[in-house]
Amino acid sequence: MMIRVLGCSGAIAAGSKTTSFLLDDSILIDAGTGVGDLTLDELARIDHIFVSHSHLDHVLAIGLLADSVLRRRATQGRPPIVVHALASTIEALRTHIFNGVIWPDFSRLPTVDAPVLKFEPIAVGDALVLDGHRIEVLSAAHTVPAVGFAVDAGDEQGWWVYTGDTGPNPLLWERLRTMKVAHLVIETAFSDDERRLAELSQHLCPSSLRAELAQLAGSVDVHITHIKPGEVDAVMAGVERLAHPHRIHALHAGQRMELGQRNDSASDVLRQSPEPLVSLANNL
Ligand SMILES: [Zn+2]
Ligand SMILES: [Zn+2]
């Protein structure tokens, strides 16, 4: 299986898109501005959207995507795209976005009986199996109700874990202690200069990241995400000063993370394709 990083920035600028990951062809994890780089055919293949929380940088493409594929899905008789989110996140989306003012209610369009979107509540600890993928809902600690997600790449490989937006979060590490974590995508939204802002907005900065990573066992590929454009060097310089046993990388839009079964002995080599590509097998 393949995870494409469509966007991993904390804000927008040319070349910087907000958070979205595409798991194989049909599952989107968060729906930030990176979704806009998919072709119409690729957009039309998305059947599920997992939403970490209600903030705009993670949700704004849900409604735009629905609008793009509505006609095509209706013509093909396809079922609604299922939006999986906390009940409070669904309520926020309905109240503040799909309210007929900011955007139409696509959970009732093109028809009430056959809409293009369907909202399904999830809760921390839920494990869903969709299109052959097992996805678990993880806790997050943010200014609004929030979750992260873990995708199971199989017993041999372990889990691909995405924290979502979060400040310090003991419950996450409690759960991850019982899982084989292969890749951890963790936010570090602020540099240490802005530690106070990070605390207020329940994000991480390098010094708080250190305390979080100290709770992660073993030696894991850690990918830093949600850095604002123009602040990547400052944040990564702070991260690189931390002492820990993990392999740290800055996540890049366009990166593909392959989580497939690998049989060759070169599987522990970080493979660089035209777009950066990381194999889960790195950790075996
Ligand atoms: Zn947020
Ligand atoms: Zn965010």
Side-chain angles (χ1 to χ4, degrees):
M1 73 198 207
M2 179 76 80
I3 289 178
R4 280 175 67 182
V5 181
L6 305 178
C8 57
S9 289
I12 59 164
S16 296
K17 312 289 170 64
T18 71
T19 306
S20 190
F21 304 97
L22 183 64
L23 171 56
D24 285 345
D25 290 334
S26 62
I27 298 174
L28 204 59
I29 298 174
D30 273 342
T33 64
V35 176
D37 282 352
L38 294 175
T39 65
L40 186 56
D41 283 344
E42 289 171 327
L43 292 172
R45 286 199 283 269
I46 293 168
D47 290 325
H48 299 274
I49 305 175
F50 284 81
V51 180
S52 66
H53 65 298
S54 59
H55 281 161
L56 191 64
D57 54 322
H58 300 254
V59 304
L60 92 173
I62 300 172
L64 298 172
L65 161 63
D67 199 12
S68 293
V69 302
L70 177 147
R71 187 182 173 125
R72 183 184 291 220
R73 290 185 76 99
T75 304
Q76 296 172 347
R78 302 269 299 281
I81 301 165
V82 183
V83 178
H84 305 268
L86 292 172
S88 54
T89 303
I90 292 171
E91 188 184 339
L93 291 171
R94 286 190 179 283
T95 304
H96 300 295
I97 293 183
F98 297 99
N99 56 12
V101 177
I102 298 296
W103 207 238
D105 181 0
F106 279 109
S107 68
R108 300 173 65 82
L109 292 169
T111 68
V112 173
D113 294 334
V116 67
L117 288 185
K118 176 184 175 189
F119 295 105
E120 286 277 352
I122 53 174
V124 171
D126 284 357
L128 294 82
V129 178
L130 297 168
D131 298 349
H133 299 298
R134 181 179 170 85
I135 300 171
E136 181 171 321
V137 184
L138 303 171
S139 76
H142 198 36
T143 51
V144 295
V147 296
F149 299 105
V151 182
D152 188 1
D155 291 344
E156 289 289 301
Q157 308 235 319
W159 293 79
W160 179 89
V161 174
Y162 161 55
T163 63
D165 286 9
T166 189
N169 181 15
L171 288 176
L172 174 69
W173 308 111
E174 200 172 288
R175 176 67 186 111
L176 294 189
R177 268 194 285 279
T178 67
M179 301 166 86
K180 179 180 178 181
V181 180
H183 284 254
L184 173 69
V185 175
I186 186 166
E187 72 123 286
T188 308
F190 290 97
S191 63
D192 279 333
D193 291 352
E194 297 184 296
R195 185 182 171 108
R196 177 84 185 120
L197 202 51
E199 287 170 358
L200 283 174
S201 57
Q202 289 187 270
H203 282 290
L204 296 174
C205 59
S207 52
S208 52
L209 176 71
R210 174 176 48 206
E212 297 303 288
L213 291 184
Q215 301 172 70
L216 178 64
S219 180
V220 173
D221 276 296
V222 174
H223 306 268
I224 305 298
T225 189
H226 210 290
I227 307 173
K228 290 201 169 51
E231 297 177 25
V232 175
D233 290 348
V235 170
M236 289 310 295
V239 169
E240 279 155 20
R241 281 195 291 270
L242 306 179
H244 53 72
H246 307 297
R247 295 175 295 279
I248 303 256
H249 321 270
L251 202 62
H252 298 287
Q255 189 170 339
R256 292 167 187 257
M257 305 172 86
E258 187 182 1
L259 294 87
Q261 197 71 40
R262 301 279 298 281
N263 298 318
D264 58 287
S265 59
S267 61
D268 58 348
V269 175
L270 183 75
R271 295 199 313 173
Q272 295 292 335
S273 64
E275 293 176 299
L277 181 148
V278 178
S279 169
L280 265 190
N282 291 341
N283 291 288
L284 297 177

